[in-house]
Amino acid sequence: MPTIGMIGVGNMGSAIAKAILKAGYSMILHNRTQEKLAVLAEQVGADVVGSESLDELINESDIIFIGVKPNQFGTIFEQLDDLVIESKPKTWVSMAAGLSITQLETFTPASHKWIRTMPNTPVEIGEGYIAYCTSENTDVEKITLFEKSLQYAGIVEAIPESLFNAVTGLAGSSPAFIYQLIEAMSDVGVEHGLSREQSRKMASQAVKGASSMVIETGMHPSELKDKVTSPNGTTIAGVVALEHAGFKSAINKGVTAAINKSIQMSKK
């Protein structure tokens, strides 16, 4: 069974580590904060190495995830300088927003390859979306290993790097927008007499059920909307009110703002 390494186990790294271990792969983890790492390792049964044993992680791992912020990549690879060598190529996986494949390749010798990813937070419960692209001539076996290791994280899909800013805004950032929607719906329920728990449950299930209908039926969202908007009924009244309030326009502006921020970050 292949071994997966991970350097930097923050919130996203922890979620992905749990998915990888659920898929049955062994893992070697390293993190700057040992206390947090120890808790995760105990939860999932992974091996842990300190800074003095990073050579073990690199030598024994078939692919290595880097779970640090973009501005920390330079520091990490300075620390790994003597261990990352031309004659022992590795496949690295980045979760950092804004760092292109070309930029990532500057941190390693030419023989090494990179997989750039854009995951979103629902990977923690196996309902995430992970877009990825790769360096040229990346070993097909490594790509297959990468995909299989994340089979319990959600949808894993190859996307052209030219579309990654759009992916960042639409898939990476959008869970936060959905949380805002659920919160707003819950507030209305409370306003009209439902308990907070009841309101949150109803709103959350409505979002989950509606999205499942789109995915499982393959129908266009507008078709599904029309199926529940009876003439002179409650639903069409709400739909018209949302249109008058600029609901679609607000969503468009939110996603576009996230995409534009991703474009801005990628130019730094």
Side-chain angles (χ1 to χ4, degrees):
M1 178 65 68
T3 296
I4 314 294
M6 182 173 289
I7 299 173
V9 188
N11 292 333
M12 185 62 72
S14 296
I16 287 178
K18 290 174 183 176
I20 292 172
L21 287 156
K22 188 176 181 180
Y25 293 92
S26 60
M27 290 197 76
I28 303 175
L29 308 176
H30 169 77
N31 195 64
R32 182 178 58 182
T33 307
Q34 290 297 307
E35 184 176 325
K36 183 176 183 179
L37 184 59
V39 172
L40 175 64
E42 185 176 352
Q43 287 177 341
V44 300
D47 293 329
V48 172
V49 297
S51 298
E52 71 284 353
S53 301
L54 278 169
D55 56 336
E56 176 188 343
L57 184 152
I58 292 172
N59 290 332
E60 295 188 14
S61 298
D62 295 275
I63 58 176
I64 305 168
F65 284 73
I66 303 294
V68 303
K69 296 178 181 179
N71 60 4
Q72 296 174 327
F73 268 65
T75 301
I76 287 292
F77 281 94
E78 283 179 11
Q79 184 180 356
L80 299 176
D81 186 51
D82 295 335
L83 306 174
V84 181
I85 57 178
E86 183 77 35
S87 61
K88 293 183 179 180
K90 290 290 178 178
T91 300
W92 304 82
V93 181
S94 167
M95 298 177 275
L99 288 181
S100 67
I101 289 289
T102 299
Q103 290 171 309
L104 292 168
E105 288 174 339
T106 64
F107 296 110
T108 53
S111 61
H112 293 238
K113 302 298 180 183
W114 279 91
I115 299 175
R116 178 188 177 187
T117 70
M118 174 45 62
N120 62 12
T121 53
V123 298
E124 184 168 349
I125 59 167
E127 294 291 347
Y129 180 89
I130 303 175
Y132 78 89
C133 61
T134 70
S135 298
E136 288 187 14
N137 303 316
T138 300
D139 190 334
V140 174
E141 290 185 2
K142 300 297 185 185
I143 297 174
T144 301
L145 171 59
F146 163 78
E147 290 183 337
K148 287 184 175 180
S149 72
L150 295 173
Q151 62 185 290
Y152 290 106
I155 295 173
V156 182
E157 189 171 25
I159 297 291
E161 188 170 29
S162 60
L163 297 177
F164 255 59
N165 290 318
V167 171
T168 300
L170 187 59
S173 300
S174 61
F177 311 152
I178 303 302
Y179 300 145
Q180 286 182 288
L181 171 62
I182 292 171
E183 181 184 31
M185 292 171 66
S186 298
D187 285 346
V188 177
V190 174
E191 182 184 1
H192 288 269
L194 293 169
S195 71
R196 175 61 67 184
E197 182 180 358
Q198 288 173 324
S199 297
R200 186 164 52 241
K201 185 185 297 183
M202 290 179 196
S204 301
Q205 185 62 35
V207 171
K208 180 181 179 181
S211 61
S212 295
M213 285 286 285
V214 173
I215 293 168
E216 293 183 21
T217 67
M219 295 174 66
H220 193 282
S222 64
E223 293 181 82
L224 290 167
K225 180 197 71 178
D226 289 346
K227 287 172 71 70
V228 294
T229 49
S230 303
N232 199 34
T234 59
T235 305
I236 191 62
V239 168
V240 171
L242 286 172
E243 288 297 321
H244 287 164
F247 181 70
K248 287 183 181 178
S249 177
I251 297 298
N252 182 296
K253 288 178 180 178
V255 176
T256 300
I259 292 171
N260 288 339
K261 182 64 174 181
S262 179
I263 294 171
Q264 180 185 345
M265 289 172 64
S266 66
K267 291 179 178 179
K268 291 183 178 180

